[in-house]
Amino acid sequence: MKQLCGNAVVGQSGGPTAAINATLAGVIRGVKENVHGGCIHTLYGMRNGVEGLLEERLIDLTSYFDSEEKLELLEHTPAAALGSCRKKLPKSGENDAFYEQMIAIFRKYDIRYFFYIGGNDSMDTVAKLSAYTKSHDYEMVILGVPKTIDNDLVGTDHTPGFGSAAKYIAVTTQEIIRDCAVYRVPAVTIIEIMGRDAGWLTAASAIGRVVNGMEPDLVYLPERVFDMQQFFADVRAALAKHPNVVVAVSEGIRFADGHYVGEGTQTGAKDAFGHAYLAGTGKALELAVKAEIGCKVRSIELNLPQRCASHLASATDILESIAVGRAAIQAASEGVTRQMMTIQRISDVPYMNEIWHSDVSEIANKIRYVDDAFINEAGNHVTDACCRYLLPLIQGEASCKYENGLPKHLVF
Amino acid sequence: MKQLCGNAVVGQSGGPTAAINATLAGVIRGVKENVHGGCIHTLYGMRNGVEGLLEERLIDLTSYFDSEEKLELLEHTPAAALGSCRKKLPKSGENDAFYEQMIAIFRKYDIRYFFYIGGNDSMDTVAKLSAYTKSHDYEMVILGVPKTIDNDLVGTDHTPGFGSAAKYIAVTTQEIIRDCAVYRVPAVTIIEIMGRDAGWLTAASAIGRVVNGMEPDLVYLPERVFDMQQFFADVRAALAKHPNVVVAVSEGIRFADGHYVGEGTQTGAKDAFGHAYLAGTGKALELAVKAEIGCKVRSIELNLPQRCASHLASATDILESIAVGRAAIQAASEGVTRQMMTIQRISDVPYMNEIWHSDVSEIANKIRYVDDAFINEAGNHVTDACCRYLLPLIQGEASCKYENGLPKHLVF
């Protein structure tokens, strides 16, 4: 097989995570370790994803990362070191000039390899660019490298970034449960967790069950219709058992009529992909419980820290994120294109997996929901099987470096 | 000096922290290490503070803590292992029967030493009980052991528990700043931090300035009157410099007329001490900025995790908390009574301090505000001197033990 030779470009897109920079480091490591057998010369980073690519805001990563120290620092820096964007590419045939401009930049920089690290919406970019270059005269390898805390990409056992967010949520929930247990006054604490469509992150609040038996009393995922009267009954039953009730809810839970529970208090704003911007699911339930049951109620929105708390990253997640990035370089050099890298689980105990890839057009714009077998019959908690699936992903603590009491981050 | 011989009782009171159990462990260590020279026989723990004492819900801590392993686990367990309460003791002369009931229990269990670990309101309990026993016929040593994330106790350089909360806030702020930096769209992120009266915790968001230059653009403390028009001007000026503006605000900031900024969205509820229960300072500012400036705005309430995140405790804080607990036993055996243990700073660099004590009646019901020299002239940030005061308190990472990916907590 003739190898395509030239330069490569890598970008980060979508919401930040604690592990997306580890994947970037994996891509850089793959290039520097020559796993591609010499076909990639320079690896460019695009600032702010495809937006920066169009503006030719490129950085030569091969030169910049001249030390192991810098790479390790990058692996423990949260967010997205190259910057991100939420740009949606035009549909095929709608704006060819856009794609031609992109290809002109590829030609100018002799870019033959395109790696895009991101989630669902980013895979849409990868799929569209793949389709365009395939049907037009520019030979190029295009790979998606998965990243999303939401764990909602199909075709992969889980997504890099999810394990660290899951660990943050699992640990924080344990600490909140301990905090709530100090008083004897009946009280309900509602933890609102990210997850617009899929409840994976919220499910992670319950991992403690299979470790130490400590878990929220109730867990509600967007995969099940939310019924307020049933919720009140569930909370009352929990309060009858002990005074400190902890409830975990996904931001995306909806009523039978399709309306979000948090919709009453939301702004109606939508993001670039048309997703409703939610706020206030926990707050809405707090007010409802206060009105209906009248006990002390508090809601806690885990908010941004759940996706950027690299001080509490999962070592398993960070190592896998690096491995997936490195594997993308290897796969690309073998001619794999228009695919997204995936993780295939081989066994839970001992936890084993292998890295593979899957057609990106079969992945983009689909959502992987929490399996039916992972949700209990009453729809108000997760099953042991769910905890067993999640547990391996939060193993190990990724030791970030501290300097003067604060974590060291790489900013470039 | 004749030593008072008998048993001791220790309790925890007020809001949980990541370090209050370390102080409890210090008290237990002091007793077990016999720093009292034999005058304390059994150390009881009261469940849920004085509430549990009145119900004789006591646990023999001398027997329970039979291993170093248990003590170490306790030192890294958040919240309050004995449980807490928010009971306000009756004023002198108002309800003598209440105090007589307490003294009957002391007699029954031969309790001659009373240690109460808590904050401002708990020192009120210590002061009242001290005053009562002094003027009535029951010889007893009564000591307050400070604990509060708020750092608002007078007479001490800082309070155990504050350093860990400050570290959580400092680290989380750094991670949020990194997260916010990934997009180029103008956006304001408002971090709401605990602190009803004093701004110490909010000030901690800025520690990064003297470490890596990374800090919020604006910091508002309750020590300064909050002016909405000036706030809009400050935010606009910050947005003119870079697109990702991060603002840290205390939950307790107020307008010139004395009303809390978050009051519009609060419930009006009050706690047992009559403090207004605040919620929504960040949310109120989020809505104000959206309406006035119109850019993307998000508010993040750090909420309970800032006081219970023992996975991110400051090693300095945990060690000091243990030391203060142990020192209380030593001081008590030397006849020190009706005092609160204090920490006196000797120097910033190298950081040195000594443990001492001060009359609790001079401490209870007073508030230590952030020094004028620690707030900038514009009233929208802290000074370098403030960061230098705070920096030693967040040094070191208290290594909590993990089991199967989750921190191990002691529950008894």
Side-chain angles (χ1 to χ4, degrees):
Chain A
M1 188 192 80
K2 184 187 131 280
Q3 254 199 346
L4 196 60
C5 278
N7 298 320
V9 69
V10 60
Q12 297 172 306
S13 174
T17 81
I20 189 168
N21 286 329
T23 299
L24 175 62
V27 169
I28 299 167
R29 285 183 186 278
V31 171
K32 293 189 84 82
E33 290 164 10
N34 211 19
V35 298
H36 47 82
C39 63
I40 295 176
H41 307 138
T42 296
L43 173 67
Y44 293 106
M46 44 184 133
R47 299 282 195 183
N48 299 105
V50 289
E51 276 184 18
L53 177 69
L54 290 168
E55 297 165 10
E56 296 179 51
R57 293 192 297 121
L58 301 174
I59 172 174
D60 177 350
L61 296 172
T62 332
S63 304
Y64 182 84
F65 284 91
D66 54 2
S67 72
E68 175 63 20
E69 198 197 339
K70 275 187 194 167
L71 279 166
E72 281 180 17
L73 218 51
L74 179 62
E75 285 159 7
H76 297 104
T77 298
L82 288 171
S84 184
C85 70
R86 287 200 183 273
K87 184 162 182 69
K88 197 166 173 73
L89 262 54
K91 278 187 192 154
S92 171
E94 263 186 11
N95 187 353
D96 274 12
F98 175 91
Y99 290 100
E100 284 309 316
Q101 186 193 348
M102 215 176 227
I103 285 175
I105 291 165
F106 292 150
R107 283 189 205 277
K108 180 173 172 185
Y109 291 90
D110 190 24
I111 290 168
R112 294 289 172 177
Y113 292 88
F114 180 96
F115 301 97
Y116 214 43
I117 313 171
N120 224 308
D121 299 327
S122 310
M123 292 311 134
D124 177 71
T125 297
V126 172
K128 282 176 176 162
L129 189 60
S130 291
Y132 190 88
T133 54
K134 192 182 174 186
S135 61
H136 291 75
D137 180 34
Y138 190 77
E139 201 179 356
M140 182 163 206
V141 163
I142 299 174
L143 283 180
V145 192
K147 165 285 329 176
T148 169
I149 63 163
D150 292 326
N151 200 37
D152 60 353
L153 287 175
V154 300
T156 184
D157 176 74
H158 58 278
T159 55
F162 171 65
S164 292
K167 188 180 183 90
Y168 178 88
I169 290 161
V171 171
T172 302
T173 302
Q174 300 269 301
E175 291 173 341
I176 290 172
I177 290 173
R178 291 260 48 77
D179 188 291
C180 294
V182 307
Y183 297 118
R184 289 192 294 166
V185 185
V188 176
T189 302
I190 298 158
I191 309 175
E192 179 188 326
I193 298 169
M194 283 181 174
R196 203 165 29 207
D197 303 304
W200 295 107
L201 289 168
T202 304
S205 67
I207 299 178
R209 178 198 301 182
V210 291
V211 177
N212 54 27
M214 217 155 71
E215 58 176 337
D217 298 277
L218 298 162
V219 175
Y220 299 94
L221 312 185
E223 281 80 359
R224 292 290 176 268
V225 165
F226 187 83
D227 181 276
M228 194 63 94
Q229 293 310 315
Q230 186 56 50
F231 170 65
F232 291 146
D234 290 349
V235 169
R236 283 201 174 94
L239 279 169
K241 281 188 228 156
H242 59 163
N244 303 293
V245 169
V246 176
V247 182
V249 297
S250 284
E251 60 175 337
I253 50 170
R254 301 183 205 206
F255 296 117
D257 65 4
H259 281 89
Y260 287 106
V261 172
E263 212 160 348
T265 44
Q266 76 160 345
T267 57
K270 287 190 160 88
D271 72 10
F273 288 85
H275 309 309
Y277 177 75
L278 299 182
T281 304
K283 185 55 85 178
L285 292 180
E286 176 191 323
L287 298 174
V289 170
K290 197 180 274 298
E292 173 76 15
I293 302 182
C295 65
K296 193 179 152 195
V297 200
R298 183 195 289 265
S299 65
I300 302 172
E301 190 185 347
L302 293 191
N303 219 311
L304 292 193
Q306 67 197 297
R307 75 179 189 194
C308 65
S310 59
H311 75 270
L312 190 53
S314 150
T316 299
D317 183 33
I318 296 297
L319 292 175
E320 285 183 352
S321 298
I322 297 169
V324 166
R326 188 192 272 113
I329 298 297
Q330 172 124 33
S333 73
E334 290 164 0
V336 174
T337 185
R338 297 186 285 275
Q339 305 267 306
M340 182 187 83
M341 304 305 295
T342 65
I343 299 172
Q344 305 302 327
R345 189 181 301 217
I346 296 165
S347 76
D348 285 341
V349 186
Y351 173 61
M352 288 169 66
N353 66 45
E354 60 180 12
I355 296 171
W356 197 238
H357 44 77
S358 194
D359 187 343
V360 73
S361 67
E362 299 291 313
I363 292 170
N365 303 312
K366 290 181 183 168
I367 292 167
R368 180 182 168 208
Y369 297 101
V370 173
D371 308 16
D372 280 343
F374 287 179
I375 305 174
N376 73 352
E377 218 173 310
N380 60 12
H381 223 304
V382 298
T383 61
D384 289 356
C386 182
C387 296
R388 283 195 297 270
Y389 160 80
L390 295 168
L391 189 60
L393 311 182
I394 66 158
Q395 295 305 304
E397 293 69 51
S399 56
C400 77
K401 266 195 189 172
Y402 283 83
E403 189 174 59
N404 241 327
L406 294 179
K408 274 191 86 167
H409 295 161
L410 184 78
V411 181
F412 67 93
Chain B
M1 189 192 79
K2 183 188 131 281
Q3 254 199 347
L4 196 59
C5 277
N7 298 319
V9 69
V10 60
Q12 298 172 306
S13 175
T17 80
I20 190 170
N21 285 330
T23 300
L24 176 62
V27 169
I28 300 167
R29 285 183 186 279
V31 171
K32 293 189 84 82
E33 290 164 10
N34 211 19
V35 299
H36 48 82
C39 63
I40 294 176
H41 307 139
T42 296
L43 173 66
Y44 293 107
M46 44 183 132
R47 299 283 194 182
N48 300 104
V50 289
E51 275 184 18
L53 177 69
L54 290 168
E55 297 164 11
E56 297 180 51
R57 294 193 296 121
L58 301 173
I59 172 174
D60 176 350
L61 296 172
T62 332
S63 303
Y64 182 83
F65 285 92
D66 54 1
S67 73
E68 175 64 20
E69 198 196 338
K70 276 188 193 166
L71 279 166
E72 281 181 16
L73 218 51
L74 179 62
E75 284 158 8
H76 296 102
T77 297
L82 288 172
S84 184
C85 71
R86 287 200 182 273
K87 184 162 183 69
K88 197 166 173 73
L89 262 53
K91 278 186 194 157
S92 171
E94 264 187 9
N95 187 354
D96 275 12
F98 175 91
Y99 290 100
E100 284 309 316
Q101 186 193 349
M102 216 176 226
I103 285 175
I105 292 165
F106 292 150
R107 284 191 204 274
K108 178 172 172 186
Y109 291 89
D110 190 25
I111 289 168
R112 294 288 172 177
Y113 293 89
F114 180 96
F115 302 97
Y116 214 43
I117 313 171
N120 225 308
D121 299 326
S122 310
M123 292 311 134
D124 177 71
T125 297
V126 172
K128 283 178 177 160
L129 189 60
S130 292
Y132 190 87
T133 54
K134 192 182 175 186
S135 61
H136 291 75
D137 179 33
Y138 189 77
E139 202 180 355
M140 181 163 205
V141 163
I142 299 174
L143 282 180
V145 193
K147 166 285 331 176
T148 169
I149 62 164
D150 292 327
N151 201 36
D152 60 353
L153 286 175
V154 300
T156 185
D157 176 74
H158 59 277
T159 54
F162 171 65
S164 292
K167 188 180 182 88
Y168 178 87
I169 290 162
V171 170
T172 302
T173 302
Q174 300 269 302
E175 291 172 339
I176 289 172
I177 290 173
R178 291 260 49 75
D179 187 290
C180 294
V182 307
Y183 297 118
R184 290 191 295 167
V185 185
V188 177
T189 301
I190 298 159
I191 308 176
E192 179 187 326
I193 297 169
M194 283 182 173
R196 203 165 29 207
D197 303 305
W200 294 108
L201 288 168
T202 305
S205 67
I207 299 177
R209 179 197 299 181
V210 291
V211 177
N212 54 26
M214 217 154 72
E215 59 176 337
D217 298 276
L218 298 161
V219 175
Y220 298 94
L221 312 184
E223 280 80 359
R224 294 290 177 266
V225 165
F226 187 83
D227 182 275
M228 195 62 95
Q229 293 310 314
Q230 187 56 50
F231 170 66
F232 291 146
D234 290 350
V235 169
R236 283 202 174 92
L239 279 169
K241 281 187 228 157
H242 58 162
N244 302 294
V245 169
V246 175
V247 182
V249 297
S250 284
E251 60 175 336
I253 50 171
R254 299 181 206 207
F255 296 117
D257 65 4
H259 281 90
Y260 288 105
V261 171
E263 212 159 349
T265 43
Q266 76 159 343
T267 57
K270 286 189 161 88
D271 72 12
F273 288 85
H275 309 308
Y277 177 76
L278 298 182
T281 304
K283 185 55 82 177
L285 293 180
E286 175 191 323
L287 298 174
V289 170
K290 196 180 275 298
E292 173 76 15
I293 301 182
C295 65
K296 192 180 153 195
V297 200
R298 182 194 290 265
S299 65
I300 302 172
E301 190 186 347
L302 292 192
N303 219 311
L304 293 193
Q306 68 198 297
R307 74 180 189 194
C308 66
S310 61
H311 75 269
L312 189 53
S314 150
T316 300
D317 183 33
I318 296 297
L319 292 174
E320 285 183 352
S321 298
I322 297 169
V324 166
R326 189 192 272 113
I329 297 297
Q330 173 124 33
S333 73
E334 290 163 0
V336 174
T337 185
R338 297 184 287 274
Q339 305 266 305
M340 182 188 82
M341 304 305 294
T342 64
I343 298 171
Q344 306 302 327
R345 188 181 302 217
I346 296 165
S347 75
D348 285 342
V349 185
Y351 173 61
M352 287 169 64
N353 66 45
E354 59 181 12
I355 297 172
W356 197 238
H357 43 77
S358 195
D359 188 343
V360 73
S361 67
E362 298 292 313
I363 291 170
N365 303 311
K366 290 182 182 167
I367 291 166
R368 181 183 169 208
Y369 296 102
V370 173
D371 309 16
D372 281 344
F374 286 179
I375 305 172
N376 73 351
E377 217 173 311
N380 60 14
H381 224 302
V382 298
T383 61
D384 289 356
C386 182
C387 295
R388 283 194 298 271
Y389 160 80
L390 295 169
L391 190 59
L393 310 182
I394 65 158
Q395 295 305 304
E397 292 70 50
S399 57
C400 78
K401 266 194 188 171
Y402 284 83
E403 189 175 59
N404 240 328
L406 294 179
K408 273 191 89 168
H409 295 160
L410 184 78
V411 181
F412 67 94

